[in-house]
Amino acid sequence: MSEQTLSNLLKEDRRFEPPADLAEHANLTAEAYERADADYEAFWAEQAGRLSWETPFERVLDWDDAPFAKWFVGGRINAAYNCVDRHVEAGHGDRVALHFVGEPVDDTRDLTYAQLKDEVSQAANALTALGVETGDRVAIYMPMIPEAVIAMLACARIGAPHTVVFGGFSSDALATRLADCKAKAIVTADGGYRRGAPSALKPAVDEARAKAASNGHDVSKVLVVQRTGQDLETWDDDVDVWWHDAVGSASTEHACEFFDAEHPLFVMYTSGTTGKPKGILHTTGGYLTGSAYTHWAVFDLKPETDVYWCTADIGWITGHSYITYGPMANGATQVLYEGTPDSPERGRWWDIIEKYGVTLFYTAPTAIRSFMKQGREIPDGRDLSSLRLLGSVGEPINPEAYVWYRHVIGADKTPVVDTWWQTETGSIMISPLPGVTHGKPGSAMIPIPGISAEVVDDEGNPVPDGSGGLLVLTKPWPSMLRTIYGDDERYVDTYWSRFRKQGYYFAGDGAKKDTDGDLWVLGRVDDVMNVSGHRLSTTEIESALVSHPKVAEAAVVGAQDEDTGQAVCAFVILTDEAGDGGKDIVEDLRNHVRKEIGPIAKPRQVMVVAELPKTRSGKIMRRLLKDVAENREVGDVTTLADSSVMDLISKGSKASS
Ligand code: PRX
């Protein structure tokens, strides 16, 4: 974000007070900040108390081996029991847990908590029968259908950590993740519905399984949900099993086992600054405490009356914490939607809100910006009066989008909670509390009670109000990642080495404190991009480009983009043999990245160049490439080994645009 945009942002003076009725009945009030400050461990013990523990914990936090944390030491718990069984036992079995909305119109199904208990138990029995044991990893590669949530909970029930891989990722991406966590089994579907047509998933699983096998890792079983009924080219009777056979025939009785609070719950891969995705490890007691508490506090959930909808995919952390675990631990009723916002037509999301009377809605700025473009007539044609709170996540929300969201979708009465967090933090860290904090368009405001954040300079000193620096979390928190799967050293290096002396967690984001002390998260300060709220690594895309036979070298930058926040822009040098690459080279390379990683990584722009700007030590100066990609005057080139390189690139880019 440019300094100019930033100073505009910091002049933002619109304020929206919490609605009086919400404030009066809010789940969390202002005194919670003081209570959490006064005794932070007691505050978290109280939050853990919203869960059902088989054996109570003896100690809240063990930080003796920092930065390796243990929360709720000695406690034993089962996440699936907390998300399902206990609601049935409390007499809420008839409450709808999921209003499933398939992409084909009228393909809907409601599942109550009692039904969910049966299905999760069946799936747990089936996984066990397939040889999955406590501690084994299970990959889940699914469309957004109830079985995806059921599979996650079934894994949790038997203590087999899941790793959900976004269904939009390629077979290569899936293969890397399978091999990294040595998944024993995969749960998938024949396909899902996307923009009105069946879209296959199983062939990618077959390919990924073969690739993982050639890297020395065999996946023993693949459990396949029949969603679309499309033809499957390959079926291996030794490995592939239909969900409706294995789960359908299993018993609905399953006595769940309870695990240590620190038992691994899942591994979620996310992009880091190197080409290799990081497997972020979350454990049971702390993660569930964080996701349940924040969902209750930030969304002001009233489980008896609210209908909640989070539009994220379960392949991302938002889907984990704010579809599967947080809401279900709280006994919420929620919508689960399979498809895209504009299928079969642009008003689909608003139809769903109207039909189910959605009260709490959580989505990403990129979606809001695309609705803004389509015009307010579309939502205006629907009754959205049930909404009482709107949430935003994944990237900074620009004030225009915030105000439009509140005004057009929320009829100017709903608070907007801009929630900052990460795969690593497990749950929301910085957000307004809807009954307490006034709304300030574009600001995530302050850390929620129990969380301590700061904006610091390079030395780790807090910056004064009105200035910017690096965002850090100054105290451990229950839903923090425990490590990077299989790589403790990378965990320490990535998050805890920058401010080792102070013991701060470095989030990788830049932020500003305004003159009121409120926080404005500005985006990544490392080589990580944020495209439509999805995290992508520049290095990962560069590796994908270099794997193309015609590419000798590549540099990727995230350039500002009106629709997607940032967009992938690639600069490539072709090999000598490739000559000029041929007339389709740009399209070929864009599609190559799409195939290697997935559609979200497809570059907006590929520029073929003769040289890349490098320092004398050979480091690519991405800052300069970013200037070109954003059509700006190129900045200081004095540290370049050859300063004429930028002239060539700038001229080339003007000629090709
Ligand atoms: O840069 C921040 C941005 O998304 C990054 C985390 O990405 P991921 O782990 O994929 O999790 C996304 C969903 C929680 C952060 O480092 N980010 C996330 N939420 C916000 C945000 N940036 C600004 N404002 C937010 N509300």
Side-chain angles (χ1 to χ4, degrees), residues 318 394-396 418-423 509 521 524 530 535:
T318 308
E395 53 179 317
D418 174 13
T419 62
W420 176 87
W421 58 294
Q422 309 176 295
T423 306
D509 279 318
V521 180
R524 305 291 306 191
N530 190 327
R535 236 164 107 164

Side-chain angles (χ1 to χ4, degrees), residues 289-442:
T289 298
S291 52
Y293 155 62
T294 51
H295 182 256
W296 170 86
V298 174
F299 296 99
D300 192 49
L301 176 81
K302 307 282 194 277
E304 300 78 19
T305 47
D306 275 319
V307 180
Y308 164 81
W309 182 19
C310 165
T311 65
D313 191 286
I314 55 139
W316 307 110
I317 191 69
T318 308
H320 280 51
S321 305
Y322 298 107
I323 295 178
T324 304
Y325 290 109
M328 301 194 89
N330 291 333
T333 293
Q334 65 180 318
V335 168
L336 182 78
Y337 175 51
E338 179 185 23
T340 46
D342 48 3
S343 200
E345 40 104 26
R346 285 167 161 188
R348 186 75 195 271
W349 276 14
W350 319 124
D351 286 340
I352 294 172
I353 292 180
E354 178 175 313
K355 175 167 174 195
Y356 291 98
V358 171
T359 55
L360 314 172
F361 183 61
Y362 194 28
T363 195
T366 188
I368 301 165
R369 288 193 297 268
S370 76
F371 294 128
M372 279 173 80
K373 258 195 171 160
Q374 292 166 8
R376 64 173 298 162
E377 303 72 37
I378 301 169
D380 278 353
R382 272 80 180 183
D383 179 2
L384 305 180
S385 59
S386 55
L387 288 169
R388 69 179 191 94
L389 186 143
L390 303 173
S392 171
V393 62
E395 53 179 317
I397 180 163
N398 45 312
E400 297 71 32
Y402 176 114
V403 171
W404 189 90
Y405 193 27
R406 185 187 151 98
H407 184 65
V408 176
I409 306 303
D412 257 336
K413 64 182 172 61
T414 55
V416 172
V417 289
D418 174 13
T419 62
W420 176 87
W421 58 294
Q422 309 176 295
T423 306
E424 292 87 342
T425 69
S427 59
I428 295 168
M429 301 280 105
I430 304 176
S431 167
L433 286 183
V436 178
T437 328
H438 61 249
K440 200 187 259 190

